[in-house]
Amino acid sequence: MPHSKEGKRFTVDVDGIKIGKAAPKDIHGLLVLTRACIGHMRHQNIDQWDEVYPGLAIVEADVRSGAAFVACHHGTVAGAFVLNGYQDPEYSEVPWTFRAGPVAVVHRLMVCPEWEGKGLARLLMEYAEASAVQSGHRIMRLDAFSKNPRALRFYEKLGYRNAGQVRFRKGCFLCFEKILAGIG
């Protein structure tokens, strides 16, 4: 992936999409993106997110901690994800296969509905995986809502293994894991 010359904020620039760590000025754009994704999922009868989750406090904490990443196109947040080592307590119930090495976890991957089907989600996950490897992580984990078939197929196409399921407030979520390439 080519690197941007804009400094430290954006570390990758691919076809006009700039991906990098979110800054406080991105919070509004992240909230707009979240609302667009909620509306789009509701239109598809996917009741995954709502006004409670993910809300302003979560978005602010993600940005403040340095775990939030944004994909911007001409200054507009088109996609985002959170990458850190936090595993929800429910993850302890999952019979993970891959256990040897530090674990990175992707949370709240989202793409603006207008960008769906254009490869942005794949680009974001490639960036997340590369960032995790660069930080010394060997394993990636994430969960996806069981009633979101497109997301489930997406993670499987990226080589993620279904490791089990957990239950959150909105229902059953499938947990996925993957050994990251580039670890020697």
Side-chain angles (χ1 to χ4, degrees):
M1 289 185 190
H3 291 276
S4 173
K5 298 192 179 4
E6 288 186 36
K8 294 181 182 178
R9 178 157 146 69
F10 289 106
T11 56
V12 172
D13 184 340
V14 177
D15 297 329
I17 295 286
K18 296 176 181 180
I19 304 173
K21 289 221 179 206
K25 72 177 194 157
D26 296 314
I27 290 172
H28 175 74
L30 284 164
L31 291 172
V32 169
L33 174 61
T34 301
R35 285 191 294 273
C37 290
I38 290 170
H40 188 63
M41 284 189 286
R42 282 184 178 161
H43 182 72
Q44 297 173 331
N45 294 315
I46 299 171
D47 187 27
Q48 179 177 345
W49 291 347
D50 55 26
E51 293 74 23
V52 175
Y53 179 89
L56 174 61
I58 290 170
V59 171
E60 288 177 334
D62 290 341
V63 172
R64 221 179 14 259
S65 71
F69 291 80
V70 292
C72 293
H73 184 257
H74 298 298
T76 300
V77 177
F81 67 90
V82 171
L83 180 67
N84 58 31
Y86 178 74
Q87 298 181 65
D88 288 291
E90 292 83 354
Y91 275 32
S92 67
E93 302 166 15
V94 177
W96 302 104
T97 297
F98 308 131
R99 297 178 179 269
V103 175
V105 183
V106 170
H107 308 273
R108 297 179 285 287
L109 174 70
M110 55 184 136
V111 171
C112 185
E114 295 100 48
W115 282 89
E116 272 192 13
K118 297 180 181 177
L120 182 55
R122 179 177 291 277
L123 184 63
L124 288 170
M125 285 302 294
E126 288 172 359
Y127 188 91
E129 290 177 6
S131 296
V133 167
Q134 188 175 25
S135 299
H137 293 90
R138 179 171 169 72
I139 300 164
M140 185 77 86
R141 291 181 179 163
L142 56 90
D143 59 72
F145 191 44
S146 63
K147 295 180 181 176
N148 189 338
R150 188 170 184 183
L152 300 176
R153 283 191 309 272
F154 172 70
Y155 293 121
E156 288 170 355
K157 282 182 183 177
L158 293 180
Y160 283 81
R161 178 193 164 280
N162 183 342
Q165 61 187 26
V166 294
R167 184 162 283 288
F168 293 124
R169 180 176 64 92
K170 288 290 191 162
C172 179
F173 286 72
L174 300 185
C175 294
F176 292 91
E177 64 182 344
K178 181 178 181 179
I179 294 285
L180 296 172
I183 299 289

